[in-house]
Amino acid sequence: ELMTGYTMLRNGGVGNGGQPWVLRWSSRIRLTWLSFTLFVILVFFPLIAHYYLTTIDDADDAGKRIFGPRTGNELCEVKHVQDLCRIRESVSEELLQLEAKRQELNSEIAKLNLKIEACKKSIENAKQDLLQLKNVISQTEHSYKELMAQNQPKLSLPIRLLPDKDDATFPMPKSNRNCRLHNCFDYSRCPLTSGFPVYVYNSDDYPFGSSLDPLIKQAFEATVRTNVYVTENANIACVYIILVGEMQEPVMPKPTELEQQLHSLPYWRTDGHNHLIINLSRKSETQNFIYNISTGRAMIAQSTFYDAQYRPGFDIVVSPLVHAMSEPNFLEIPPQVPVKRKYLFSFQGEKIESLRSSLQEVRSFEEEIEGNAPADYDDRIITTLKAVQDSKLDFVLVEFTCKNQPKASLPTEWALCGEREDRLELLKLSTFALIITPGDTHLVISAGCTMRLFEALEVGAIPVVLGEQVQLPYNDVIRWNEAALIIPKPRITEVHFLLRSISDNDLLAMRRQGRFLWETYFSTSDNVFSTVLAIIRTRIQIPAAPIREEPAVEIPHRSGKAAGTDPNMADNGDLDLGPVETEPPYASPKYLRNFTLTAMDIYRNWNSAPGPFHLFPYTPFDPVLPSEAKFLGSGTGFRPIGGGAGGSGKEFQAALGGNVPREQFTVVMLTYEREEVLMNSLERLNGLPYLNKVVVVWNSPKLPSEDLLWPDIGVPIMVVRTEKNSLNNRFLPWDEIETEAILSIDDDAHLRHDEIMFGFRVWREARDRIVGFPGRYHAWDIPHQSWLYNSNYSCELSMVLTGAAFFHKYYAYLYSYVMPQAIRDMVDEYINCEDIAMNFLVSHLTRKPPIKVTSRWTFRCPGCPQALSHDDSHFHERHKCINFFVKVYGYMPLLYTQFRVDSVLFKTRLPHDKTKCFKFI
């Protein structure tokens, strides 16, 4: 049947009428078979395969298993799976680490959030505290201003009311002899704030001008042109000056003619009040031709006065004008040592009247007391001095007869003998120089006496004036007993004893004071004229004009480079540098004592060498420190800010301390084309307390690099351009220096902040001294008989190098404008020794040695370019400088000191709960 069906199918299912059925049947058969086949494959085959796979692995030979589950290690043994396993393990470890870090960061974030919240609360509290402090400060400032307004009312300059040109004259005194300032001087023309304007007549506009000595007139005119007080506006002048002498004999006008010419001066105003008539003498024989002239209320300044003519406190005794048109040569002036010279004293002069009477028998002093005392003691003087000379107890030289024709002189006056050069040579050999006043007691001073005084002071012979009635030059402002011996004539027999009893120290002090008076008030025409004006200005109590300051020409530079912190500079040991300044730099308090110094300290300032505590006329220019300059902190009545709180170290370190109100200092740094070294030095000043500003003195004609970026150290840096390369520029009184304290420092000096602060604290207690770090000393070279400069370690010192030292700005004025020019010239010649010159100056003025602080003796600058001090000729030049300076000063002013300064509790063992002031190891 199957075959039949098959045949039927193959034949298309045709036959016997059943062909369609067959086709349908075959279709069903194929579908059923296909379904069954798929069922068997999908169901039974997986079951069979599973059974086979599970049973075949049960064989005993486990190593021959092909299928079946395997362990992880076994799978990893498969070569192509090993790399994937390693990656899986690494990723797993990293995931574990990241998860741990995530948890840690979440913990830190939570903590920081807590801190942020706490900081926000602290900031809010601090803002509240700051606001309260601002309110307290504001209230305190307001209270301070109220107290200041109550105790020191604000003053404004008064309106100057000048009288008319033809102002009415006030009543004349009974006679011109009674003229004093209160009744012959018009104060309304000289207000305290006027500046003391002086008008000087041109002598050539008047007939007597042609009779004046040409040298004196030329010197006077040159001095007038440079004086700070002279004005060309006569309408505002306080004082009017006219030069009337010295006159030449052949063309001298008659007294009546000169009187008429004086009274015809345009501003004479009928009586000549506020006028000064100057009669200068260049020779000892100058005549007193003004004696017979009516000068009204005008003051007179000359070298010869009679008692009927001289009005104390009104007229002025002036010194002779010897160096009219020439500056004195300091190298020709003999040294002040040795103290004692060949002759104990000397005298040369001639007076005819004395020679006649000296031959007569001399009465004893007992007879003079009992009977009629002689009117002239010259006879006794001659006899006594001859007896001293004949005794040969001391070498003395007295000559009462001139070998040549004596100079012309007034009656009873001792005439000078010989030429000026011969007289000076004798005085150079004399310890004392006798000056015998005129026998006429009505002649209070003569040109001859002033000439003898001038020459004695010039060469260092101590004047011995016989005659206490004499009125020496500028006697109302100068203490002559500090530079000369004034002995009454009746004590002539005791003169020898007095002169021998004076010690060497006193002799040297008197000689030094005489040299100071001669240099300051006698030596040049500028000195004489300025001294005359200073006396008048002092009498009417007008403060002096400020001395000029050096204008600073700034070099533009770029700043903004953040200054780094040198760890060596920041290491301050146990020292707390004190409060850090949070306010802008401030200048020293203004100088407010001009008037009181003028009124109170006349004698002290006129008779003392200039220094920070002697602020009166000290120079040929006459002025004191600038009125806009500084006060010295003594006697001001202010309570020191931060002072008196140093009992225990902690309180001391919290304030600057000392006895002066708060103050800062200025760093002056000299440099020359060493930009890298300079920048490093400036960066080391970053954060230095109490620093006001830094003045960089650029000593090179080549300007700094344009691309040079200067450090920002928190205070201004002023780069000053100089006119020439000179080490003297280090000490110029730049107007940019607004503090009293100056720290002069080299551009390669390495100083720690604690060292600088300690030096500043010490200087504040010794403001008239140089306070610094590297010390040096001078020594006498016996074989060569000269002075040597020594930088070796020593137990004593006499100099402190200004490459790292504090000093008062006042000394910058003196160094630049007062110190002899020869010293500055030598500094420029050698490009050396400016520090020695400053030490000489300060020691000469104060008679004190400098102060050394800390144990530093030298400075080392690793990597710095070659410095001037490294040159082989450096020390040889400094030897020469010292010996030259000694010649200029006339003696060795340097003084030795055998100690350095450390703090009160330096290396003191204290309990642990106490704090030291300073600690230097």
Side-chain angles (χ1 to χ4, degrees):
E1 290 179 1
L2 289 174
M3 290 297 294
T4 301
Y6 176 74
T7 303
M8 291 174 65
L9 287 173
R10 189 176 62 176
N11 292 328
V14 180
N16 298 322
Q19 183 177 355
W21 182 87
V22 173
L23 293 174
R24 289 192 298 271
W25 184 82
S26 62
S27 298
R28 290 191 187 102
I29 290 299
R30 285 197 296 268
L31 291 173
T32 304
W33 176 253
L34 180 61
S35 301
F36 179 78
T37 303
L38 290 174
F39 177 80
V40 171
I41 293 172
L42 295 175
V43 176
F44 290 100
F45 182 79
L47 294 175
I48 295 170
H50 178 266
Y51 175 78
Y52 174 78
L53 291 174
T54 54
T55 56
I56 197 172
D57 288 335
D58 293 337
D60 296 335
D61 192 358
K64 296 181 178 179
R65 288 183 299 176
I66 300 175
F67 304 100
R70 295 176 182 267
T71 63
N73 294 332
E74 292 176 346
L75 292 175
C76 290
E77 292 177 358
V78 182
K79 185 176 182 179
H80 65 275
V81 182
Q82 291 178 357
D83 294 338
L84 295 177
C85 292
R86 284 194 296 270
I87 293 173
R88 185 190 66 179
E89 293 175 357
S90 176
V91 171
S92 299
E93 291 178 359
E94 290 181 359
L95 289 176
L96 292 174
Q97 292 176 0
L98 290 175
E99 178 63 21
K101 288 183 179 180
R102 186 185 68 83
Q103 294 178 359
E104 183 179 354
L105 290 176
N106 288 334
S107 176
E108 291 181 359
I109 290 173
K111 293 179 180 179
L112 291 176
N113 288 331
L114 294 176
K115 290 184 178 180
I116 290 173
E117 294 297 328
C119 290
K120 288 181 179 180
K121 294 180 180 179
S122 300
I123 291 174
E124 293 297 328
N125 295 333
K127 288 182 178 179
Q128 296 295 329
D129 296 340
L130 179 61
L131 183 60
Q132 294 178 1
L133 289 175
K134 287 182 178 180
N135 294 333
V136 172
I137 292 174
S138 177
Q139 294 175 0
T140 304
E141 290 179 349
H142 182 71
S143 301
Y144 175 76
K145 291 179 180 179
E146 289 183 348
L147 291 175
M148 292 296 293
Q150 294 175 4
N151 296 279
Q152 295 183 357
K154 184 177 179 181
L155 300 177
S156 58
L157 295 178
I159 300 176
R160 186 177 182 188
L161 302 176
L162 289 175
D164 296 332
K165 181 178 179 180
D166 299 327
D167 52 333
T169 60
F170 42 94
M172 282 282 292
K174 294 181 179 180
S175 68
N176 293 339
R177 179 72 178 82
N178 298 327
C179 256
R180 299 295 184 271
L181 288 176
H182 69 277
N183 57 6
C184 289
F185 190 86
D186 185 5
Y187 280 89
S188 65
R189 302 199 64 86
C190 306
L192 293 175
T193 57
S194 64
F196 191 59
V198 175
Y199 178 79
V200 180
Y201 292 99
N202 186 359
S203 300
D204 292 335
D205 296 340
Y206 306 95
F208 64 84
S210 59
S211 304
L212 295 176
D213 185 311
L215 288 179
I216 287 185
K217 183 168 66 173
Q218 186 178 358
F220 182 78
E221 292 174 351
T223 299
V224 167
R225 285 193 296 267
T226 59
N227 195 275
V228 296
Y229 296 107
V230 174
T231 179
E232 296 181 358
N233 187 357
N235 293 324
I236 66 170
C238 168
V239 175
Y240 301 84
I241 296 178
I242 182 68
L243 178 68
V244 299
E246 179 175 53
M247 288 192 176
Q248 297 173 314
E249 290 289 345
V251 293
M252 182 182 298
K254 296 180 180 179
T256 55
E257 295 176 355
L258 181 59
E259 181 177 331
Q260 292 176 359
Q261 295 174 24
L262 290 176
H263 291 183
S264 64
L265 294 175
Y267 303 98
W268 187 261
R269 298 187 181 91
T270 69
D271 58 4
H273 62 271
N274 290 47
H275 275 65
L276 174 65
I277 301 173
I278 297 182
N279 178 23
L280 298 176
S281 60
R282 193 167 61 90
K283 299 173 290 187
S284 62
E285 59 269 23
T286 301
Q287 299 297 317
N288 185 13
F289 59 89
I290 303 181
Y291 181 71
N292 297 319
I293 294 177
S294 174
T295 57
R297 285 192 171 102
M299 296 174 285
I300 300 175
Q302 62 180 11
S303 300
T304 302
F305 279 102
Y306 286 96
D307 59 354
Q309 177 190 19
Y310 180 68
R311 297 163 292 187
F314 193 74
D315 295 326
I316 302 173
V317 179
V318 298
S319 61
L321 191 60
V322 177
H323 300 286
M325 290 302 296
S326 63
E327 294 289 335
N329 188 350
F330 290 97
L331 298 181
E332 295 180 357
I333 299 174
Q336 300 185 36
V337 290
V339 177
K340 293 181 178 178
R341 300 174 177 177
K342 178 179 180 180
Y343 299 112
L344 178 64
F345 61 83
S346 64
F347 177 81
Q348 285 181 328
E350 182 174 338
K351 188 171 69 169
I352 304 299
E353 295 83 350
S354 295
L355 287 176
R356 242 192 345 261
S357 60
S358 64
L359 302 177
Q360 301 175 1
E361 182 180 358
V362 180
R363 298 183 299 170
S364 65
F365 279 103
E366 291 78 3
E367 294 174 341
E368 292 175 358
I369 295 174
E370 294 176 358
N372 297 324
D376 188 355
Y377 282 94
D378 289 354
D379 297 343
R380 170 70 67 175
I381 292 174
I382 293 173
T383 304
T384 303
L385 296 182
K386 284 183 177 181
V388 174
Q389 185 177 26
D390 295 338
S391 67
K392 297 183 180 181
L393 294 175
D394 292 290
F395 284 106
V396 299
L397 192 150
V398 291
E399 295 179 354
F400 301 103
T401 304
C402 296
K403 298 177 181 178
N404 300 319
Q405 183 67 25
K407 303 295 182 181
S409 62
L410 297 175
T412 73
E413 181 185 16
W414 287 92
L416 293 171
C417 296
E419 299 300 326
R420 167 177 158 81
E421 291 75 14
D422 298 331
R423 298 194 300 270
L424 292 181
E425 289 301 322
L426 175 60
L427 292 174
K428 291 178 182 179
L429 301 175
S430 305
T431 305
F432 296 94
L434 296 185
I435 301 175
I436 305 176
T437 59
D440 185 1
T441 56
H442 299 292
L443 186 61
V444 295
I445 190 62
S446 65
C449 286
T450 57
M451 184 64 69
R452 290 180 183 272
L453 179 66
F454 180 95
E455 294 175 351
L457 295 176
E458 181 178 5
V459 297
I462 300 174
V464 179
V465 182
L466 297 178
E468 80 284 1
Q469 80 283 356
V470 69
Q471 298 290 334
L472 296 179
Y474 322 126
N475 63 310
D476 54 343
V477 291
I478 292 179
R479 289 197 186 101
W480 278 107
N481 58 352
E482 296 179 356
L485 296 175
I486 303 176
I487 303 174
K489 286 185 178 181
R491 294 193 180 276
I492 183 59
T493 57
E494 302 172 326
V495 168
H496 187 210
F497 167 78
L498 290 175
L499 299 186
R500 295 188 66 181
S501 64
I502 300 177
S503 65
D504 289 354
N505 289 337
D506 292 338
L507 287 176
L508 183 59
M510 296 181 70
R511 183 174 294 165
R512 186 167 54 244
Q513 180 68 6
R515 173 75 174 269
F516 163 72
L517 296 177
W518 179 80
E519 289 180 356
T520 308
Y521 306 117
F522 290 73
S523 58
T524 65
S525 57
D526 284 341
N527 292 11
V528 174
F529 183 68
S530 296
T531 302
V532 170
L533 294 185
I535 289 177
I536 300 176
R537 182 185 51 74
T538 304
R539 287 175 176 175
I540 62 178
Q541 299 180 340
I542 295 181
I547 194 172
R548 69 182 181 91
E549 294 190 289
E550 197 70 22
V553 180
E554 184 178 7
I555 300 177
H557 60 281
R558 293 190 305 155
S559 60
K561 174 185 175 183
T565 302
D566 190 338
N568 295 325
M569 300 298 107
D571 183 13
N572 296 315
D574 294 339
L575 173 63
D576 186 352
L577 296 180
V580 178
E581 297 293 340
T582 57
E583 56 184 328
Y586 53 84
S588 295
K590 301 298 182 182
Y591 190 79
L592 302 176
R593 296 192 61 211
N594 281 356
F595 178 78
T596 51
L597 277 177
T598 304
M600 297 166 53
D601 300 335
I602 293 177
Y603 281 102
R604 183 190 70 175
N605 296 301
W606 277 83
N607 294 275
S608 301
F613 302 102
H614 305 126
L615 301 180
F616 212 65
Y618 61 86
T619 75
F621 312 99
D622 168 35
V624 299
L625 269 179
S627 56
E628 66 270 16
K630 325 307 171 205
F631 90 123
L632 297 173
S634 59
T636 60
F638 291 107
R639 182 181 183 272
I641 299 176
S648 61
K650 184 176 181 180
E651 289 79 2
F652 176 75
Q653 293 176 358
L656 185 58
N659 302 308
V660 184
R662 63 174 188 173
E663 65 178 325
Q664 297 176 335
F665 61 90
T666 301
V667 168
V668 176
M669 187 178 295
L670 188 72
T671 187
Y672 186 90
E673 297 185 3
R674 299 200 295 182
E675 295 180 353
E676 182 179 357
V677 175
L678 174 63
M679 296 302 106
N680 293 334
S681 296
L682 292 176
E683 288 187 3
R684 286 193 293 271
L685 300 177
N686 183 34
L688 179 61
Y690 307 108
L691 178 60
N692 181 272
K693 70 173 61 171
V694 178
V695 177
V696 177
V697 182
W698 191 263
N699 222 23
S700 170
K702 180 182 177 181
L703 297 181
S705 304
E706 294 183 358
D707 58 347
L708 182 64
L709 193 60
W710 296 69
D712 182 6
I713 60 175
V715 297
I717 298 179
M718 173 71 66
V719 185
V720 178
R721 184 175 186 176
T722 58
E723 296 181 357
K724 66 176 182 178
N725 178 20
S726 172
L727 294 180
N728 293 315
N729 295 332
R730 179 195 297 272
F731 301 124
L732 284 173
W734 302 105
D735 55 4
E736 288 294 331
I737 301 177
E738 299 177 321
T739 60
E740 295 179 22
I742 295 177
L743 172 58
S744 174
I745 189 170
D746 288 338
D747 58 0
D748 58 355
H750 283 223
L751 284 175
R752 300 196 311 269
H753 287 187
D754 62 310
E755 293 175 319
I756 296 176
M757 281 304 305
F758 181 59
F760 182 46
R761 291 179 186 269
V762 172
W763 177 87
R764 283 163 51 84
E765 299 184 22
R767 308 172 75 86
D768 60 336
R769 314 273 284 274
I770 297 178
V771 177
F773 301 88
R776 301 291 185 267
Y777 69 98
H778 67 289
W780 180 250
D781 184 6
I782 297 178
H784 297 89
Q785 293 295 294
S786 63
W787 293 103
L788 294 178
Y789 171 85
N790 202 314
S791 63
N792 296 330
Y793 290 94
S794 173
C795 294
E796 60 184 4
L797 59 93
S798 58
M799 291 174 282
V800 166
L801 300 187
T802 55
F806 286 92
F807 63 89
H808 200 287
K809 186 182 179 182
Y810 192 81
Y811 293 125
Y813 295 99
L814 300 183
Y815 184 98
S816 302
Y817 303 141
V818 180
M819 188 178 68
Q821 181 63 37
I823 296 180
R824 294 191 293 271
D825 291 341
M826 191 166 195
V827 171
D828 288 336
E829 178 183 354
Y830 285 158
I831 316 179
N832 199 344
C833 306
E834 84 288 355
D835 47 0
I836 300 178
M838 177 59 82
N839 278 271
F840 265 69
L841 174 67
V842 177
S843 295
H844 169 65
L845 300 177
T846 63
R847 303 306 303 138
K848 299 176 183 178
I851 296 178
K852 173 177 170 51
V853 293
T854 78
S855 59
R856 280 188 179 267
W857 203 263
T858 59
F859 290 111
R860 300 186 183 277
C861 180
C864 291
Q866 192 79 357
L868 293 174
S869 59
H870 297 160
D871 197 316
D872 293 338
S873 62
H874 177 74
F875 284 94
H876 296 288
E877 293 173 349
R878 294 173 86 81
H879 299 329
K880 296 178 182 178
C881 287
I882 286 186
N883 288 281
F884 179 80
F885 297 164
V886 169
K887 290 182 179 179
V888 174
Y889 282 99
Y891 76 111
M892 169 54 75
L894 297 179
L895 299 173
Y896 292 106
T897 181
Q898 298 179 352
F899 69 91
R900 76 168 191 255
V901 175
D902 290 304
S903 61
V904 175
L905 298 181
F906 176 66
K907 289 188 177 181
T908 301
R909 294 184 178 181
L910 296 175
H912 295 291
D913 58 343
K914 300 295 182 181
T915 305
K916 296 183 180 180
C917 301
F918 295 103
K919 182 179 180 181
F920 289 95
I921 303 293

